[in-house]
Amino acid sequence: MSKNLNITAVYIKLGKSIKINRLKCGLTLEQLAYEIGVQKSDIFSIEKGRNITTLTLIKIATVLNIHLKDLFDFNYNVTLNDIDKIVQKKQRKRK
């Protein structure tokens, strides 16, 4: 039973890591979904901790331009405020 809880915790942390890195890249759920060929709801579910295939994980890392192992770095010291600043900065660069 405890193994299942640990696996669930990993999926939740992985989803959070994907979301943080997606936002750092300035991508919306829709944009990431389009780039890897899935639905927006699939990305939303993954970011909430749903099971993810290895292929989808590789596609996400590729689009986010990060190493696959970096998605498993759960020592993120990023607040939502930090992410907002990063996104705003990227949006200004696009204009």
Side-chain angles (χ1 to χ4, degrees), residues 1-82:
M1 185 85 169
S2 64
K3 285 185 181 181
N4 288 340
L5 293 176
N6 291 337
I7 291 170
T8 300
V10 169
Y11 281 127
I12 290 169
K13 290 177 181 181
L14 179 59
K16 183 175 180 181
S17 177
I18 290 168
K19 182 174 184 176
I20 287 168
N21 284 285
R22 173 180 62 78
L23 292 172
K24 282 182 179 180
C25 288
L27 294 175
T28 64
L29 288 168
E30 294 90 351
Q31 290 168 325
L32 180 56
Y34 176 80
E35 291 294 325
I36 68 168
V38 299
Q39 300 295 314
K40 171 186 165 186
S41 59
D42 294 326
I43 298 298
F44 179 80
S45 295
I46 290 167
E47 289 182 356
K48 292 296 181 194
R50 188 193 83 196
N51 191 353
I52 182 172
T53 67
T54 304
L55 179 59
T56 300
L57 193 56
I58 291 168
K59 288 179 180 180
I60 289 172
T62 301
V63 170
L64 298 179
N65 197 31
I66 60 174
H67 293 282
L68 189 58
K69 67 179 178 67
D70 293 336
L71 288 175
F72 291 92
D73 178 9
F74 301 143
N75 296 317
Y76 28 75
N77 294 316
V78 179
T79 66
L80 290 177
N81 192 30
D82 295 332

